[in-house]
Amino acid sequence: MNVVFPDLKLKVMNNEDFEFNQRQFKATGMLEHFNSGVIEKMGQAEPRIRHEINPSIDGEQVKGAVYLNKAKDGDRYFLNKFDMEKTRPNGTTVKQTFYNNNRPKAGDENSSQRPPQQWTQKRAFNFLSGRPVYDKNNNEWNKINLNKKLKNGNYASDRFDKNYGFDLQKTMSGYSYADAGDKQRMDQLAEGFERGNLQKVKLVGNDGKKEDYYQSVSIRTGSMKVYDKDKKEVPLEQQVEKGLITKDLSEKLKEIYGKKQAQKPENKPEVPLGENNSQKNENKHQQGQKPGATLTGKEDKPPAKHKTSQKH
């Protein structure tokens, strides 16, 4: 189905090229930005197009731009990257360029032979919101690292592959979902978590009452963050008291939080969970080695693979 610009379509490009260009926007979840303004620029056969966007996502206004490159022949354009900028709760802004090109540029110090992640507008928003996003092409989770910037101006990405030990399905089984018996619904929830969404869920308490909550993935603790209807985080003690979490998972989290507090240096910044070897990781990174991380509370497991991405 085409976006309705019949007169423009006939004037600037044939049906096949029009639909090809339209699919470029649809694939990145930006179909609403394939409008008369960008189509007019295409009609002028501009070799490179920068098209500004100002979408509202989950009630937040963000801004950015998409970048289109024209094919050598015909009127087809390729949307290989886009910028997004959002305001954090503390008032600061975070900006990132997201790449969807399939081939890294020769000589690009940030390029690699890893398959590219397919970024969409919503996945990019979730990433900038600090929530982990799953990359199916590389079977790993990506979380923005706001403490490290790359030479290209992007923030680095902490990557957690399958060897890190996080299992989304197993983690979800530790919570009292009202829809636990509905496989289709649970699969939909899992897919939303993989996209980095803050998902609205119904959890059943000890009294059998179903209540609305929000959840997102917490890779480092091997759990889900739980928020109330006002999107305020629910403390672990309250989750246990209400029966929203299984005993096994709650005991595991208590152990993790307990060791975290015990290892917290006096008058020093708190070390994030799973990063008690952060200084060693940084040294390894500077030497060109792959950094590693150990999940606190899992001392009997070998160091998990935790990498820092050099490109997004």
Side-chain angles (χ1 to χ4, degrees), residues 36-234:
S36 58
V38 72
I39 294 175
E40 183 176 352
K41 292 178 182 178
M42 291 177 176
Q44 296 171 358
E46 296 182 18
R48 292 181 180 83
I49 296 174
R50 182 183 184 276
H51 181 58
E52 292 188 0
I53 58 175
N54 294 280
S56 176
I57 306 174
D58 290 351
E60 293 187 43
Q61 198 70 38
V62 299
K63 62 181 180 179
V66 297
Y67 297 86
L68 301 149
N69 291 325
K70 189 177 182 297
K72 292 182 179 179
D73 300 318
D75 294 316
R76 295 190 175 190
Y77 281 84
F78 298 90
L79 198 166
N80 290 333
K81 69 175 183 177
F82 62 92
D83 294 335
M84 183 176 287
E85 180 179 328
K86 75 181 295 291
T87 302
R88 300 174 64 197
N90 62 7
T92 61
T93 59
V94 56
K95 181 180 179 181
Q96 191 90 340
T97 298
F98 297 89
Y99 298 88
N100 281 334
N101 51 308
N102 293 321
R103 296 179 181 178
K105 295 180 181 178
D108 185 350
E109 64 181 286
N110 293 317
S111 68
S112 71
Q113 296 305 315
R114 301 171 67 255
Q117 175 165 193
Q118 182 64 36
W119 288 102
T120 64
Q121 178 175 263
K122 184 61 164 64
R123 289 166 68 89
F125 173 85
N126 292 337
F127 181 79
L128 292 184
S129 299
R131 294 189 290 271
V133 177
Y134 186 63
D135 177 2
K136 289 185 178 181
N137 288 338
N138 293 289
N139 193 23
E140 65 185 20
W141 292 84
N142 289 266
K143 187 177 187 300
I144 193 169
N145 184 341
L146 293 173
N147 295 318
K148 184 174 183 59
K149 267 198 170 186
L150 307 176
K151 291 181 179 180
N152 64 3
N154 269 359
Y155 288 97
S157 173
D158 290 336
R159 306 202 308 266
F160 305 88
D161 65 18
K162 61 181 180 181
N163 294 317
Y164 192 81
F166 180 79
D167 185 323
L168 178 59
Q169 297 292 342
K170 182 178 180 180
T171 301
M172 290 175 64
S173 69
Y175 295 85
S176 59
Y177 294 104
D179 298 318
D182 186 338
K183 186 179 184 306
Q184 182 177 2
R185 172 56 180 159
M186 295 304 291
D187 287 345
Q188 290 174 344
L189 277 178
E191 290 174 1
F193 288 136
E194 289 180 348
R195 289 192 292 271
N197 291 346
L198 181 64
Q199 293 280 98
K200 187 175 184 179
V201 301
K202 282 187 180 295
L203 299 178
V204 184
N206 287 326
D207 56 2
K209 184 179 179 181
K210 301 177 182 178
E211 291 189 60
D212 289 331
Y213 292 90
Y214 291 90
Q215 282 189 318
S216 64
V217 170
S218 177
I219 302 292
R220 297 188 188 280
T221 61
S223 65
M224 309 296 293
K225 289 186 177 181
V226 181
Y227 305 86
D228 63 19
K229 62 181 180 180
D230 296 318
K231 299 183 179 180
K232 295 181 179 179
E233 191 164 356
V234 179

Side-chain angles (χ1 to χ4, degrees), residues 246-277:
T246 63
K247 181 179 179 180
D248 287 345
L249 182 54
S250 65
E251 291 299 323
K252 169 192 168 184
L253 293 177
K254 287 178 182 178
E255 181 182 5
I256 291 175
Y257 296 146
K259 289 189 175 183
K260 175 185 176 185
Q261 291 300 319
Q263 295 173 357
K264 184 177 178 181
E266 187 175 357
N267 299 324
K268 289 184 179 181
E270 181 177 317
V271 179
L273 287 171
E275 289 194 350
N276 49 345
N277 291 323

